[in-house]
Amino acid sequence: MKFFLLLLLCWSMPVVAEPLLTEKRSFSSDNFRTFSGQRIPRIDVGWQSYGTLSPARDNVILITHFFSGSSHAAGKYQPDDDTTGYWDAIIGPGKAIDTNQFFVISVDTLVNLNVHHPKVITTGPATINPETNQPYGLDFPVVTIRDFVEVQRLVLESLGIKRLHAVMGASLGSLQALEWATVYPERVERLISVIGAAEMDAWTVSALEHWGTPIRLDANWQQGNYYDAEPPTEGLVAALALMTQQATHPSFFNQSPVQHQAMDQAALASIHTAPAIVSWLRDYAKERARYADANHLLYLVRASQLYVAGQQGPLLDAIQQIQARTLVIAAKEDVILLPYLAKELHQSLDSSGKASTMLWLDGQLGHLDGIAHIAQAEAALRTFLEE
Amino acid sequence: MKFFLLLLLCWSMPVVAEPLLTEKRSFSSDNFRTFSGQRIPRIDVGWQSYGTLSPARDNVILITHFFSGSSHAAGKYQPDDDTTGYWDAIIGPGKAIDTNQFFVISVDTLVNLNVHHPKVITTGPATINPETNQPYGLDFPVVTIRDFVEVQRLVLESLGIKRLHAVMGASLGSLQALEWATVYPERVERLISVIGAAEMDAWTVSALEHWGTPIRLDANWQQGNYYDAEPPTEGLVAALALMTQQATHPSFFNQSPVQHQAMDQAALASIHTAPAIVSWLRDYAKERARYADANHLLYLVRASQLYVAGQQGPLLDAIQQIQARTLVIAAKEDVILLPYLAKELHQSLDSSGKASTMLWLDGQLGHLDGIAHIAQAEAALRTFLEE
């Protein structure tokens, strides 16, 4: 049970007190122009908020979400929801990100992984192109972290918001947060990067590619044209199994509820029978695949692979633009975005004369420590947001 | 170039002085009974040796090979070969494993990955079953590390060899070496485990499974029945790309000859175009796939997944059997068999009152440090073999 509970923390926190309630809203915009210069006739994204926007609109904290996340950063949609948003431990009345003080807002990214989740609103390959009445499939343009930021900017501007007291995100969300501070330096006062990076290197680009490989090999994938046929579920499940394992660490993964048997008799008897721990991981990934779309996963991989702060490089030129003070929070045992990547971000800020503080999370969860153990940063977050 | 040279070290060392020459030999045996109780009508394996067997047959060192390796542990087949065996740095006249003193022997495993290499002799799914005149495919029984050891025992006994001065192996080879010391304790005087483990845990079993996933998803795989059709090359290449990356470490991988471009313009322009570093890794894996068989890879994964010393567990019962003194050599940055696994082997020996010494290799290669940087252990090996 422990394993499941902890993994669930990835997108939800168990409920303790009176829940913070939130509502999913929708934003749309026509003729979105991507960073690569392509046109998307219409985009729709979901967003949600917590707390009250001050009359001067100067109390805004933007939360940018991770690869398999959504704008559901905290709270519940209904009082009897089983779970809360993923960072409920730090977002709410009286919490580190105090919603009595701040207006906290989060936006579903383009090409959101869980496009079929009833509470996710996104635009990507699985969306119907209004000009053809067919799903885009791979005709959807490659989108970048910059595009996610531009969509967030449009949402914020629709609310009259120009400045951010802070922008904070974990993992893929950390890239978006950094992009904000780089491209709109005069609008971002504080940057909080959690289990993040400043740019992708050869190792990480290649490691991310392996996530998409099983999808591309699945015969049902059909070069992305599967929306009127059987989807590439096997490939998607394999991708999510790999991601699920890598989001943890052996010291945690080895506590999985199906204990690995030193000598798995069924797996010895037949090459067709996977070891029990493998079947368990696959079943777990199947659950995760329920709302996910395979093409969206490929687009998220690509957006990640293309990242360098400012989306052009060299990195230090981009870092030079930043005006925000920065808090870099990293997980010691991270095997997805290895700890040297967060350290590199901190050091490039530091060597560029920017104010940056580094905070290490303890834990056995690996990458997921940045979600499940974020409460360790509570005091640091309070201080950082008040300074 | 540096990257290629270093990776080549995985199975070959650049030549320096007068080369040690060796010859591939063949061994066969009828009615091999597997650990799981199944019969293989006939097995054929290759082997090779260095140095001279003493009249008392008491100077034998057995080298057990890694996942993608073969019995070509050192030396050359022909004086003008471009490369040598993988541990040529420590095996040869006057070297740490001195072939003026020792008779060094190595045997191709069953289900050897590179079944199509002209110098590999093995028996596995790609072999013709003499009773059906068809390739075994997935009718080949699951084989274990114990089976590899039993085949080696048959080869050694055919030469009248009963005792081993030492058994030494890296990675998959370390499992075979440990199995020798566990199952034939009275025959093994010294055990040298390099980048190894005592048993597989949930993390490693699952991580190994991901290697085989792309093969099983490749439509050409056809449940292993591809020997009279197009083989699952795409899946095999994807598997080898994942293995190749994981056998290294970011500090080395990021020096790859195709430098990753912070913003890959071709990958931005089209979802169909992989980032340059990914194409490079795939091309490299294609080269590795030339002699490999996809089913053999799946069987090697399974043999690895099923490993615990003694092939039954609990581990400490097996460790208790060992009489050999042990040298455990590990790589600090290993991401395939994580360093805690080698430490666990050393500690279980130590806590069982067995003589064990631990030696850490420095390097930036990760798992491959155990092959490419083995010369760091030269002095320790000399001392260990003489004591």
Side-chain angles (χ1 to χ4, degrees):
Chain A
M1 269 315 287
K2 196 179 165 195
F3 190 80
F4 266 111
L5 280 176
L6 284 170
L7 260 188
L8 277 170
L9 289 173
C10 176
W11 53 88
S12 60
M13 292 290 294
V15 185
V16 266
E18 183 98 338
L20 176 70
L21 289 181
T22 183
E23 201 183 327
K24 195 86 186 193
R25 289 158 186 267
S26 181
F27 170 86
S28 71
S29 179
D30 288 341
N31 293 315
F32 184 84
R33 188 62 65 173
T34 67
F35 180 70
S36 66
Q38 303 222 53
R39 190 179 70 93
I40 304 174
R42 176 192 162 104
I43 58 161
D44 293 274
V45 291
W47 63 278
Q48 55 200 86
S49 68
Y50 314 85
T52 309
L53 184 59
S54 65
R57 299 188 170 93
D58 61 355
N59 68 334
V60 179
I61 297 182
L62 174 67
I63 306 291
T64 47
H65 72 74
F66 51 92
F67 198 100
S68 60
S70 73
S71 67
H72 198 34
K76 295 180 156 200
Y77 298 116
Q78 302 293 337
D80 59 352
D81 284 356
D82 289 338
T83 56
T84 65
Y86 61 93
W87 265 347
D88 199 72
I90 52 163
I91 300 171
K95 296 184 181 173
I97 299 178
D98 190 348
T99 50
N100 291 329
Q101 181 182 355
F102 296 112
F103 178 72
V104 179
I105 182 168
S106 190
V107 182
D108 293 335
T109 63
L110 295 173
V111 301
N112 187 291
L113 182 62
N114 294 302
V115 54
H116 303 304
H117 190 286
K119 287 290 188 185
V120 167
I121 304 168
T122 188
T123 306
T127 307
I128 302 290
N129 178 345
E131 295 180 350
T132 65
N133 285 318
Q134 298 292 320
Y136 286 98
L138 300 199
D139 290 339
F140 199 78
V142 169
V143 286
T144 61
I145 298 298
R146 174 77 68 86
D147 294 307
F148 299 175
V149 163
E150 288 302 309
V151 170
Q152 290 151 6
R153 185 178 60 78
L154 293 174
V155 174
L156 292 172
E157 288 180 0
S158 76
L159 300 169
I161 298 166
K162 292 272 181 199
R163 286 182 69 81
L164 297 172
H165 185 81
V167 56
M168 175 176 185
S171 194
L172 186 82
S174 83
L175 310 182
Q176 298 163 60
L178 176 59
E179 191 63 8
W180 262 102
T182 304
V183 186
Y184 297 108
E186 72 292 343
R187 299 191 186 197
V188 179
E189 294 167 24
R190 289 166 195 80
L191 162 64
I192 305 164
S193 166
V194 183
I195 48 169
E199 66 178 330
M200 297 295 104
D201 56 1
W203 176 272
T204 313
V205 168
S206 301
L208 288 164
E209 185 74 17
H210 301 305
W211 291 6
T213 300
I215 290 171
R216 294 179 190 266
L217 279 165
D218 188 321
N220 288 339
W221 180 57
Q222 299 286 343
Q223 297 290 311
N225 297 317
Y226 53 78
Y227 293 108
D228 55 2
E230 200 61 42
T233 306
E234 285 302 312
L236 178 60
V237 167
L240 290 167
L242 181 56
M243 284 169 58
T244 298
Q245 175 167 6
Q246 291 183 343
T248 73
H249 186 261
S251 48
F252 171 68
F253 191 83
N254 287 339
Q255 300 169 31
S256 61
V258 172
Q259 286 297 315
H260 168 60
Q261 293 298 316
M263 189 71 196
D264 191 305
Q265 291 301 323
L268 173 66
S270 167
I271 192 76
H272 299 283
T273 309
I277 182 69
V278 168
S279 305
W280 174 81
L281 179 61
R282 200 175 287 151
D283 287 346
Y284 189 83
K286 261 184 208 157
E287 272 303 303
R288 294 192 71 181
R290 202 147 54 111
Y291 300 122
D293 178 77
N295 282 338
H296 281 226
L297 193 149
L298 298 179
Y299 277 75
L300 283 168
V301 162
R302 180 57 56 86
S304 309
Q305 289 174 320
L306 289 170
Y307 192 65
V308 54
Q311 296 285 187
Q312 44 189 20
L315 174 64
L316 288 180
D317 290 359
I319 295 291
Q320 204 50 57
Q321 304 307 312
I322 293 177
Q323 295 176 23
R325 287 186 304 109
T326 302
L327 177 60
V328 178
I329 301 175
K332 282 179 195 153
E333 303 295 347
D334 197 328
V335 301
I336 288 184
L337 296 178
L338 280 90
Y340 68 81
L341 293 168
K343 223 183 279 177
E344 183 195 52
L345 169 59
H346 168 65
Q347 284 165 353
S348 24
L349 284 159
D350 201 56
S351 70
S352 304
K354 310 292 176 182
S356 176
T357 309
M358 180 110 210
L359 178 77
W360 291 94
L361 300 174
D362 286 321
Q364 297 194 314
L365 289 181
H367 197 61
L368 278 184
D369 280 324
I371 306 300
H373 289 156
I374 192 66
Q376 286 175 28
E378 193 181 352
L381 283 170
R382 277 185 203 276
T383 309
F384 184 74
L385 291 175
E386 277 162 23
E387 272 171 7
Chain B
M1 269 315 286
K2 195 180 166 196
F3 190 80
F4 266 111
L5 280 176
L6 283 169
L7 260 188
L8 277 170
L9 289 173
C10 176
W11 53 87
S12 59
M13 293 288 296
V15 186
V16 266
E18 185 98 339
L20 176 70
L21 289 182
T22 183
E23 202 182 328
K24 194 86 185 194
R25 290 158 187 266
S26 181
F27 170 85
S28 71
S29 179
D30 288 341
N31 293 314
F32 183 83
R33 188 63 64 173
T34 67
F35 180 69
S36 66
Q38 303 222 54
R39 189 180 70 93
I40 304 174
R42 176 193 162 104
I43 57 161
D44 292 274
V45 291
W47 64 277
Q48 55 201 86
S49 68
Y50 314 84
T52 309
L53 185 59
S54 66
R57 299 187 170 94
D58 62 355
N59 68 333
V60 179
I61 297 181
L62 173 67
I63 305 291
T64 48
H65 71 73
F66 52 92
F67 199 100
S68 60
S70 73
S71 66
H72 198 34
K76 295 180 156 199
Y77 298 116
Q78 302 293 336
D80 59 353
D81 284 355
D82 289 338
T83 57
T84 66
Y86 61 94
W87 264 348
D88 199 73
I90 52 163
I91 300 171
K95 295 185 181 172
I97 298 178
D98 189 348
T99 51
N100 292 328
Q101 181 182 355
F102 296 112
F103 177 73
V104 179
I105 182 166
S106 190
V107 182
D108 294 335
T109 63
L110 295 173
V111 301
N112 187 290
L113 181 62
N114 294 302
V115 54
H116 304 303
H117 190 286
K119 286 291 188 185
V120 168
I121 304 167
T122 188
T123 306
T127 307
I128 302 290
N129 179 345
E131 295 179 350
T132 65
N133 285 318
Q134 298 291 322
Y136 286 99
L138 300 199
D139 291 338
F140 199 79
V142 169
V143 287
T144 61
I145 298 298
R146 174 76 68 85
D147 294 307
F148 299 175
V149 163
E150 287 304 308
V151 170
Q152 289 152 7
R153 185 179 60 79
L154 293 174
V155 175
L156 292 173
E157 287 181 1
S158 76
L159 301 169
I161 297 166
K162 292 272 181 198
R163 287 182 69 81
L164 298 172
H165 185 81
V167 56
M168 175 176 184
S171 194
L172 187 82
S174 84
L175 310 183
Q176 299 162 59
L178 176 59
E179 191 63 9
W180 262 102
T182 303
V183 185
Y184 296 109
E186 72 292 343
R187 299 191 186 196
V188 178
E189 294 166 25
R190 290 166 194 81
L191 162 64
I192 305 163
S193 167
V194 184
I195 47 171
E199 65 178 331
M200 297 295 103
D201 57 1
W203 176 272
T204 313
V205 169
S206 300
L208 287 164
E209 185 74 17
H210 302 305
W211 292 5
T213 299
I215 291 171
R216 294 179 190 267
L217 279 165
D218 188 320
N220 288 339
W221 181 56
Q222 298 287 342
Q223 297 290 312
N225 296 316
Y226 53 78
Y227 292 108
D228 54 2
E230 200 61 41
T233 305
E234 286 301 313
L236 177 61
V237 167
L240 290 167
L242 180 56
M243 285 169 57
T244 298
Q245 175 167 4
Q246 291 183 344
T248 72
H249 185 263
S251 48
F252 171 68
F253 192 83
N254 287 339
Q255 300 169 32
S256 61
V258 172
Q259 286 297 316
H260 168 60
Q261 293 297 317
M263 190 70 197
D264 191 306
Q265 291 301 322
L268 173 67
S270 166
I271 192 76
H272 298 283
T273 308
I277 182 68
V278 168
S279 305
W280 174 81
L281 179 61
R282 201 175 286 151
D283 288 346
Y284 189 83
K286 261 184 208 157
E287 273 303 303
R288 293 192 70 180
R290 200 148 55 111
Y291 300 122
D293 176 77
N295 283 338
H296 281 226
L297 192 149
L298 297 180
Y299 276 76
L300 283 168
V301 162
R302 180 58 55 87
S304 309
Q305 288 174 320
L306 289 171
Y307 192 65
V308 54
Q311 296 286 186
Q312 43 190 22
L315 175 65
L316 288 180
D317 290 358
I319 295 292
Q320 205 49 57
Q321 304 307 311
I322 293 176
Q323 295 176 22
R325 287 186 303 107
T326 302
L327 178 60
V328 178
I329 301 175
K332 282 179 197 154
E333 303 295 349
D334 197 327
V335 301
I336 288 185
L337 296 178
L338 280 89
Y340 69 82
L341 293 168
K343 224 184 278 178
E344 182 195 53
L345 168 61
H346 168 66
Q347 283 165 354
S348 27
L349 285 159
D350 201 54
S351 69
S352 304
K354 310 291 176 181
S356 176
T357 309
M358 180 111 210
L359 178 76
W360 291 96
L361 300 174
D362 286 320
Q364 298 194 313
L365 289 181
H367 196 61
L368 278 183
D369 279 324
I371 306 300
H373 289 156
I374 193 65
Q376 285 175 27
E378 192 181 353
L381 282 170
R382 277 184 204 277
T383 309
F384 184 73
L385 291 175
E386 278 162 23
E387 273 171 5

